[in-house]
């Protein structure tokens, strides 16, 4: 059953803690941000890596997006695994994978090796993004959850923007491999902070896990048929195809169409990507004030359709492109907050929130896996960025249909 704001009564929304553990939320966000950093370190360095390994544009697009291959194939399964091993253990597994892959990427000697490392690195995305919302859910009071999840949902643009700011300076001074060494060190710090900050002494009311727990087939059978989870996952998929395509190729777009230098293009791209965090925060704030999630999904798709097409359109002056990209990124940021809030709400019970998050992980991973290569294929096929403007309308059109279906579900 749903309330006026689309928040289901009972189910997953019914769990409560004595007080919100903001320290636990903070270390969880810190760990998640470096997944975003791992993604964002590639777009500003694509040129350097392509030169060293002689990569063509489509292969370079895969270098940016193949990070999400594991999540695209096993996102839901990873969430189901989290329900068995526990969210804390899954989060720590993700940060350790990020450490190992950072070292391996820094030592890569060929394009094939770097692509393989990026696939392995993507395990961290599936593990962290499945477990972090569950920990956030468990550590917050019901009245704080939408806000906390909204803040957490900024991990990807926040981490990407951080990488895009430091990348041109580090890469120029120390080479592109320094970005991987930095990721490994930060992930090691995140592992220590999560391990120390989520102990039972610091968080006494965290859910206990049966050491002999078996896979929750009953929970899986209850979760998989939930239509709202498929819809939110689908909305997230469509969002990430478009948003990540823009984010990954924006430095190249600005260099090729406006003649900007590598540092200027990277910093403007970081500003655009970082704007998505404001949308994530706004999404959490709006849900706190009972704005329905389907309204946020619909509004995000309308804005992405208009601004996405105008960013590529040839008749739009160059001076307007970056403000349009900022509007595109900032306003669309309400959608991830709505999706993760919807996953927590529609999970059949609190113990299955990680499993429900798997739908969001898989949707996001598939979209991010496909976005950059699709953009490369489309632009290459049409011969220019400007000729591909109408393609930016396809995903939002489908997204609006999903928002309409969510309206029917959440108003019941």
């Amino acid at each position: 059953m749903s309330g006026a704001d689309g928040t289901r009564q009972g189910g997953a929304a019914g769990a409560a803690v004595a007080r919100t553990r903001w320290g636990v939320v903070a270390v969880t966000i810190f760990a998640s941000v470096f997944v975003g950093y791992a993604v964002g370190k590639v777009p500003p360095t694509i040129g350097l890596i392509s030169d060293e390994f002689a990569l063509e544009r489509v292969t370079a697009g895969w270098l940016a997006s193949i990070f999400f291959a594991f999540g695209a194939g096993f996102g839901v399964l990873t969430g189901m695994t989290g329900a068995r091993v526990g969210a804390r253990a899954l989060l720590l597994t993700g940060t350790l994978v990020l450490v190992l892959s950072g070292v391996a990427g820094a030592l890569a000697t060929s394009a094939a090796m770097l692509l393989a490392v990026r696939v392995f690195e993507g395990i961290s995305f599936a593990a962290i993004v499945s477990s972090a919302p569950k920990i956030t859910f468990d550590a917050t009071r019901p009245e704080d959850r939408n806000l906390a999840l909204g803040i957490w949902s900024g991990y990807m643009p926040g981490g990407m923007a951080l990488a895009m700011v430091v990348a041109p300076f580090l890469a120029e001074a120390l080479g592109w491999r320094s970005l991987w060494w930095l990721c490994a060190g930060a992930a090691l710090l995140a592992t220590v902070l999560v391990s120390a900050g989520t102990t039972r002494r610091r968080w006494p009311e965290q859910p206990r896990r049966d050491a002999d727990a078996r896979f929750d087939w009953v929970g899986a059978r209850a979760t998989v048929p939930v239509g709202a989870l498929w819809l939110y996952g689908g909305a997230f998929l469509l969002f990430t195809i478009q948003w990540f395509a823009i984010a990954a190729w924006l430095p190249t777009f600005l260099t090729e169409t406006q003649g900007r230098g590598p540092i200027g293009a990277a910093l403007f791209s970081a500003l655009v990507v970082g704007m998505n965090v404001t949308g994530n925060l706004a999404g959490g704030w709006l849900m706190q004030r009972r704005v329905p999630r389907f309204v946020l999904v619909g509004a995000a798709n309308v804005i992405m359709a208009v601004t996405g097409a105008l960013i590529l359109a040839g008749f739009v002056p160059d001076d307007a492109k970056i403000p349009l990209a900022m509007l595109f990124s900032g306003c669309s940021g309400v959608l991830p907050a709505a999706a993760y809030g919807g996953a927590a709400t529609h999970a059949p019970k609190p113990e299955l929130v990680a499993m429900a998050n798997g739908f969001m992980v898989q949707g996001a991973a598939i979209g991010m896996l496909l976005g950059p290569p699709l953009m490369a294929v489309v632009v290459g096929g049409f011969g220019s960025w400007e000729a591909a403007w109408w393609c930016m309308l396809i995903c939002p059109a489908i997204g609006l249909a999903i928002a309409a279906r969510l309206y029917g579900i959440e108003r019941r």
Side-chain angles (χ1 to χ4, degrees):
M1 179 179 176
S2 299
D5 65 337
T7 301
R8 197 174 57 177
Q9 307 303 315
V17 294
R19 63 182 178 88
T20 294
R21 300 283 178 175
W22 289 110
V24 173
V25 174
V27 297
T28 302
I29 292 172
F30 181 82
S32 302
V33 161
F34 283 96
V35 171
Y37 174 93
V39 176
K41 67 181 186 279
V42 170
T45 56
I46 278 181
L48 295 174
I49 297 171
S50 296
D51 289 343
E52 180 171 336
F53 294 133
L55 303 181
E56 40 182 47
R57 186 185 294 256
V58 173
T59 306
W62 280 114
L63 182 63
S65 66
I66 205 168
F67 178 90
F68 300 100
F70 183 87
F74 304 103
V76 173
L77 183 61
T78 304
M80 291 177 175
T81 302
R84 178 182 181 184
V85 304
R88 181 176 184 268
L90 190 60
L91 180 60
L92 289 169
T93 299
T95 58
L96 286 171
V97 168
L98 208 52
V99 174
L100 296 174
S101 57
V103 173
L107 299 175
T109 56
S110 67
M113 181 177 176
L114 190 58
L115 285 167
V117 168
R118 289 289 280 172
V119 174
F120 175 69
E121 192 174 32
I123 297 173
S124 66
F125 168 78
I128 292 173
V129 181
S130 292
S131 56
K134 174 65 166 68
I135 292 173
T136 302
F137 180 94
D138 289 334
T140 52
R141 298 183 303 163
E143 52 266 40
D144 293 328
R145 279 183 190 144
N146 281 331
L147 179 60
L149 286 168
I151 296 171
W152 174 82
S153 67
Y155 77 92
M156 180 62 74
M160 286 183 66
L162 173 64
M164 288 178 167
V165 167
V166 303
F169 302 102
L170 272 181
E172 184 176 352
L174 302 172
W176 63 265
R177 297 172 192 275
S178 62
L179 276 294
W180 269 257
W181 286 117
L182 179 58
C183 188
L188 182 60
L189 176 60
T191 302
V192 173
L193 291 176
V194 170
S195 180
T198 59
T199 60
R200 194 162 297 279
R201 182 176 65 83
R202 292 183 177 273
W203 181 19
E205 62 271 75
Q206 67 177 283
R208 294 187 178 274
R209 186 180 65 83
D210 184 352
D212 298 321
R214 298 181 179 181
F215 185 80
D216 188 359
W217 289 108
V218 174
R221 286 194 294 269
T223 304
V224 170
V226 177
L229 297 178
W230 289 93
L231 290 169
Y232 278 116
F236 213 159
L237 186 159
L238 295 164
F239 159 78
T240 52
I241 283 179
Q242 197 151 331
W243 184 83
F244 192 56
I246 292 289
W249 285 115
L250 191 58
T252 304
F253 173 78
L254 293 175
T255 300
E256 291 183 356
T257 65
Q258 299 185 12
R260 297 185 185 274
I263 292 178
L267 293 179
F268 275 122
S269 299
L271 176 62
V272 168
V273 169
M275 285 297 296
N276 197 247
V277 178
T278 65
N280 303 145
L281 298 175
W285 183 83
L286 290 168
M287 288 189 294
Q288 283 285 97
R289 279 143 187 80
R290 299 184 177 276
V291 175
R293 287 181 293 271
F294 60 82
V295 170
L296 300 181
V297 173
N301 278 286
V302 169
I303 293 169
M304 283 193 293
V306 174
T307 56
L310 290 176
I311 289 168
L312 298 188
F315 64 84
V316 177
D318 284 348
D319 289 345
K321 302 272 185 173
I322 291 174
L324 282 168
M326 292 171 63
L327 188 63
F328 170 93
S329 184
C331 294
S332 65
V334 300
L335 195 151
Y340 280 107
T345 296
H346 288 279
K349 57 182 180 178
E351 293 79 7
L352 298 175
V353 171
M355 197 178 291
N357 286 332
F359 285 81
M360 307 307 111
V361 173
Q362 192 139 2
I366 292 172
M368 291 186 174
L369 177 67
L370 296 178
L374 281 176
M375 179 69 86
V377 169
V378 167
V379 172
F382 284 102
S384 69
W385 297 93
E386 293 83 357
W389 69 269
W390 61 272
C391 296
M392 302 299 285
L393 303 175
I394 297 173
C395 289
I398 303 171
L400 284 172
I402 289 177
R405 184 71 186 101
L406 286 170
Y407 169 81
I409 289 175
E410 296 208 334
R411 282 296 184 183
R412 285 202 296 265

